Amino acid sequence: MTENATAEPLFMIQLQPDPVRAGLWIAGEGLSKRGADDGYGWHALLKAAFGELAPQPFRIIDHPRKPPQLLGYTRANLSTLRDHAETFAEPAVAAALGLDSLAAKRMPDCFATDQRLGFEVRVRPTIRQHLADDRTRNRERDVFLAAAEKAGPRATRTGLDRATVYAEWLGGRLGAYGARLIEARPLALRRTRVSRRNGKRELVGDIEGPDAVFEGILKVTCPDAFRRLLGRGVGRHRAFGFGMLLLRPAPSE
């Protein structure tokens, strides 16, 4: 593996936020809706701390026996992030995110063609569909529900499987950005509601949809595209806690 000297650096950050203080800040900003995922609130907290340098995608990792952690990818290095937060973040934001715990590492500048990597990712497997054949209007659909609708009565007979449909969707997203999916195993399959702000900056809508966590193995087919994928994230809602590819060693073949 050789270093790509022209590649824009990509960094992974780690924080140990205070969930109670974070929840109070999110609620105080009017960004909390009962029963909805807090991804928008965490997005707003990161923006309040780091502005345009805020990590995206990011992921909140909950642990049963220790405090949660926040991981994310950003183009800014540790010094730049600290300088921005020290200058502009309000004390309540700093306390909620645990900015004293901020750590970062530089990701590889180059991956090797055919390199096998283990991964874990939280995704929202959806597609955009036009409404009533009107191409000016569309909606977000669960890819499994869309597949079941397309299959019609055959869906039951053919044993259409939610995890399989989601894994196929994931393979397509990885394939478009320089990686081939070798295997994917679901760690969690559920449906969650998310809230978003409208053009008037009002928090509206409880958009229910799929929320899946997969682990598996991929193979890098185009190193430059794959590296862009890390910084971009997988699927939709990447700014709100979905789509961050966490890498790990792949088991030997």
Side-chain angles (χ1 to χ4, degrees):
M1 185 184 306
T2 58
E3 182 171 323
N4 182 354
T6 63
E8 184 180 7
L10 180 67
F11 299 88
M12 174 188 279
I13 72 154
Q14 181 180 32
L15 286 161
Q16 294 179 340
D18 183 319
V20 174
R21 291 181 175 180
L24 290 173
W25 187 91
I26 291 170
E29 294 293 313
L31 301 176
S32 175
K33 294 200 73 173
R34 188 178 182 85
D37 179 81
D38 281 335
Y40 195 99
W42 286 107
H43 162 79
L45 254 177
L46 290 168
K47 285 285 189 180
F50 303 115
E52 295 304 311
L53 305 176
Q56 178 184 325
F58 69 88
R59 171 100 179 265
I60 301 291
I61 308 291
D62 290 313
H63 296 282
R65 291 179 295 277
K66 56 183 179 180
Q69 63 177 332
L70 187 153
L71 301 173
Y73 290 129
T74 177
R75 300 294 178 182
N77 62 29
L78 182 59
S79 176
T80 301
L81 291 170
R82 281 178 172 162
D83 287 348
H84 189 283
E86 287 172 1
T87 304
F88 301 109
E90 296 178 354
V93 170
L97 285 175
L99 287 181
D100 288 344
S101 69
L102 178 62
K105 72 164 188 176
R106 182 165 176 162
M107 296 297 291
D109 290 313
C110 186
F111 292 88
T113 301
D114 293 332
Q115 181 177 358
R116 285 164 52 92
L117 296 166
F119 73 88
E120 182 178 313
V121 65
R122 179 192 181 202
V123 289
R124 200 159 178 90
T126 61
I127 57 174
R128 304 293 288 180
Q129 285 188 333
H130 298 301
L131 288 174
D133 297 324
D134 182 352
R135 293 186 175 274
T136 66
R137 302 171 61 210
N138 55 54
R139 61 175 174 171
E140 187 175 271
R141 288 291 310 277
D142 181 328
V143 294
F144 173 74
L145 297 182
E149 182 180 276
K150 184 176 181 180
R154 295 188 302 107
T156 302
R157 297 197 304 271
T158 58
L160 195 65
D161 177 70
R162 185 179 298 271
T164 300
V165 172
Y166 290 167
E168 290 174 351
W169 171 91
L170 177 59
R173 295 304 181 275
L174 294 177
Y177 285 92
R180 180 164 64 88
L181 182 64
I182 304 300
E183 62 180 64
R185 298 175 297 278
L187 298 179
L189 298 176
R190 59 177 183 163
R191 294 182 66 80
T192 55
R193 297 207 309 271
V194 297
S195 299
R196 299 291 180 258
R197 275 180 166 169
N198 61 13
K200 299 179 181 179
R201 307 300 295 165
E202 300 168 328
L203 196 69
V204 297
D206 287 325
I207 309 167
E208 185 178 350
D211 187 337
V213 179
F214 279 94
E215 68 174 4
I217 301 171
L218 59 81
K219 180 177 286 189
V220 177
T221 56
C222 178
D224 288 344
F226 178 70
R227 195 171 177 282
R228 289 194 297 271
L229 175 64
L230 285 183
R232 177 186 185 275
V234 181
R236 292 178 55 80
H237 300 269
R238 298 184 303 275
F240 308 109
F242 292 88
M244 183 183 183
L245 269 175
L246 299 173
L247 303 181
R248 59 187 58 167
S252 301
E253 294 187 81

